[in-house]
Amino acid sequence: MSEDITALSATALLEQFRQGGLSPVEVSRAALDRIGQLDGDVNAFCLVDPETTLRCAQESEQRYRTDQVRGVVDGVPVAIKDLFLTPAWPTRRGSKTVDPAAQMGKSAPAVAAMERHGYVPLGKTTTPEFGWKAVTDSPLHGTTCNPWDMQRTAGGSSGGSAAALAAKMAPLALGTDAGGSIRIPAAFCGIVGFKPSFGEVPHWPPSPFGTLAHAGPMARTVEDCALLMNVLSEPDIRDAHAVPRRGIDYQAGLGAGIAGLKIAFSANLGHVDVNPEIERAVAVAAGVLRELGATVTEVDPSFSDPLGAFGHLFYSGAANALRDLGTRKRELMDPQLVQVAEKAARLSVLDYLAANNERGQLCERMAQFHQKYDLLLTPTLPITAFGLNREVPEDWPSTRWPTWTPFTYPFNLTGQPALSVPCGFCREGLPIGLQLVGARYNDALVLRAGHAYQQAAPQTRTLP
């Protein structure tokens, strides 16, 4: 029975709670049991606290018994990436340089919102140091494995959250994304990850990666991501970049379908070398969207690869994260992080401003593009998951991770909503993801299209 419970979506769990078929305590115990069975090998969690989890679950169970349900995720266990502040638990950010006692008692906006809605905190999930790369390993917490193949990476930097979802250790999770860090592990692990429009989900303290960084939901279904967006998008005055609240119910129009939408399908953005199996899988998904009534046109958005501009802005963020750390602390850190941060510290102000200029041009280009097309469909990644403890695949022509994530980081530069949804498996049995990108602040439409696709083409292959 516990295995069946761990396979249920958050939406299904909430229905069970309301009907009395399951209790938050049963579900939390099943999740903790699953973690105990599997996480010694997967390493998705860096902190699990059964006492706190079960106490919160018992409080939720009592609210259901007395008809005093607190909010829309009351009783649902949520895994929290270890970049979000949690009041009862330390936030180490994958780094030996962070004092475990620092900022205890404080909640990130996403965590505070979930607290208001009665969630059950399940634990903190692994991240590379300060979330700096697209695979998940750190000097503090070690390496996170992909549950589909334990010799391969889960991706990153929200790799712990993605692995926990794929292995059915949690029904919901939080992630952050400054260059693809929600969508990359979502694609590698075969789950759903949503990067909202910049500012749609309040985030505090500010990320060292500045306005590239987004916070968002991760789940096994698009419907669950929409559910969690209704919580995460609540206002929080601490985020100076948060957009004014628009009172959107992300679940309300989720089932409206996509008939009449104009979708641009770009298999390679005009410049990316894509694994043929991935290209075929996303082309099949484009056919599904056509069958659902959308007009799907093969067209590239016609922008040159903004890798250089992204690198200047992102790695300047890494330098910012390390700005106050001396030699002794840097010796405790991931040496590759130290290397890129020290290189970025030598950039000039004009280098940084030139990158921002290119970013502005890309924002304008995509705004114009979405005057003609409602959505852009691409692969999430051009490759499937590769070996552990590597920043790039074997024999890769570059040493840095953004070179294999060319479909994700452009939309951190533009701040657009982008969703990764599973769309099949390669011959080796590894998941493949498609990406749906919308105009800025059209998050609800992106989720609606992803939900329509997932309902029409559900992935029936699951982990035991």
Side-chain angles (χ1 to χ4, degrees):
M1 181 60 181
S2 64
E3 188 171 326
D4 293 337
I5 293 173
T6 62
L8 292 174
S9 68
T11 305
L13 290 174
L14 287 165
E15 184 62 24
Q16 288 290 317
F17 295 162
R18 287 189 287 266
Q19 294 178 354
L22 286 172
S23 77
V25 172
E26 286 178 271
V27 170
S28 297
R29 282 181 176 150
L32 290 169
D33 287 347
R34 184 85 173 168
I35 293 168
Q37 293 163 10
L38 300 180
D39 201 46
D41 295 322
V42 177
N43 193 33
F45 286 87
C46 59
L47 185 152
V48 179
D49 175 7
E51 183 178 345
T52 296
T53 297
L54 292 174
R55 175 177 53 77
C56 292
Q58 289 161 358
E59 291 170 358
S60 174
E61 185 171 296
Q62 182 62 23
R63 290 193 292 271
Y64 277 97
R65 285 176 178 166
T66 57
D67 200 23
Q68 295 179 334
V69 176
R70 182 181 292 175
V72 301
V73 292
D74 202 339
V76 179
V78 184
I80 305 164
K81 184 178 181 180
D82 193 34
L83 296 183
F84 292 89
L85 296 183
T86 46
W89 296 333
T91 301
R92 299 293 302 275
R93 299 178 174 88
S95 181
K96 293 179 179 179
T97 69
V98 175
D99 178 1
Q103 297 181 307
M104 290 284 288
K106 297 180 181 179
S107 297
V111 173
M114 293 193 303
E115 288 168 349
R116 292 192 295 271
H117 283 265
Y119 92 117
V120 174
L122 187 55
K124 303 295 285 283
T125 59
T126 52
T127 176
E129 198 159 20
F130 298 120
W132 84 273
K133 60 183 176 180
V135 294
T136 300
D137 58 67
S138 74
L140 180 63
H141 292 130
T143 301
T144 299
C145 303
N146 191 318
W148 291 96
D149 182 340
M150 299 292 287
Q151 300 306 310
R152 299 183 190 248
T153 180
S157 63
S158 306
S161 288
L165 289 162
K168 297 184 286 191
M169 300 180 203
L172 291 175
L174 292 185
T176 61
D177 189 318
S181 287
I182 286 174
R183 293 159 289 155
I184 292 163
F188 275 178
C189 292
I191 59 101
V192 178
F194 183 51
K195 178 188 79 69
S197 295
F198 180 73
E200 189 68 13
V201 171
H203 193 40
W204 178 90
S207 167
F209 301 104
T211 56
L212 295 174
H214 305 55
M218 303 173 73
R220 290 189 292 268
T221 69
V222 178
E223 184 177 22
D224 278 359
C225 280
L227 167 75
L228 195 49
M229 275 296 293
N230 280 346
V231 176
L232 303 183
S233 60
E234 290 187 346
D236 194 297
I237 60 170
R238 294 173 292 177
D239 184 354
H241 293 290
V243 299
R245 299 301 95 185
R246 295 171 291 153
I248 295 172
D249 182 344
Y250 287 99
Q251 290 181 286
L254 205 59
I258 59 171
L261 291 186
K262 296 178 180 179
I263 300 176
F265 168 40
S266 178
N268 61 14
L269 292 181
H271 61 263
V272 180
D273 184 15
V274 180
N275 178 318
E277 289 187 82
I278 294 175
E279 194 164 346
R280 285 193 294 271
V282 181
V284 170
V288 172
L289 296 175
R290 285 191 186 96
E291 292 171 1
L292 293 172
T295 299
V296 181
T297 306
E298 292 191 37
V299 60
D300 297 323
S302 301
F303 59 78
S304 57
D305 187 357
L307 178 62
F310 174 77
H312 279 11
L313 296 172
F314 184 85
Y315 291 126
S316 294
N320 185 32
L322 274 62
R323 64 163 60 234
D324 297 323
L325 301 182
T327 302
R328 291 183 65 181
K329 284 195 171 181
R330 293 183 185 218
E331 289 173 350
L332 301 173
M333 301 182 75
D334 183 335
Q336 297 303 310
L337 169 57
V338 174
Q339 184 181 97
V340 298
E342 291 180 347
K343 182 178 179 180
R346 296 192 292 270
L347 292 170
S348 71
V349 172
L350 287 179
D351 291 331
Y352 187 87
L353 292 175
N356 260 326
N357 289 344
E358 186 174 342
R359 180 184 193 176
Q361 292 165 4
L362 179 59
C363 289
E364 181 182 355
R365 171 64 197 141
M366 289 309 300
Q368 292 172 344
F369 182 81
H370 284 291
Q371 293 298 300
K372 185 173 182 180
Y373 298 102
D374 298 301
L375 298 168
L376 170 65
L377 168 66
T378 74
T380 305
L381 294 169
I383 59 173
T384 53
F386 52 88
L388 296 171
N389 299 311
R390 307 181 55 86
E391 187 180 339
V392 300
E394 214 171 314
D395 299 323
W396 195 252
S398 173
T399 58
R400 297 275 81 102
W401 68 264
T403 57
W404 56 265
T405 66
F407 294 108
T408 59
Y409 61 74
F411 306 110
N412 291 85
L413 290 166
T414 61
Q416 292 171 249
L419 175 74
S420 182
V421 183
C423 68
F425 294 82
C426 71
R427 283 173 291 183
E428 294 180 282
L430 298 170
I432 296 170
L434 64 81
Q435 178 176 236
L436 288 164
V437 183
R440 198 163 181 178
Y441 307 125
N442 212 353
D443 300 56
L445 182 64
V446 173
L447 291 166
R448 192 176 101 202
H451 178 67
Y453 170 76
Q454 196 171 44
Q455 292 295 107
Q459 301 298 304
T460 57
R461 192 184 309 184
T462 61
L463 289 164

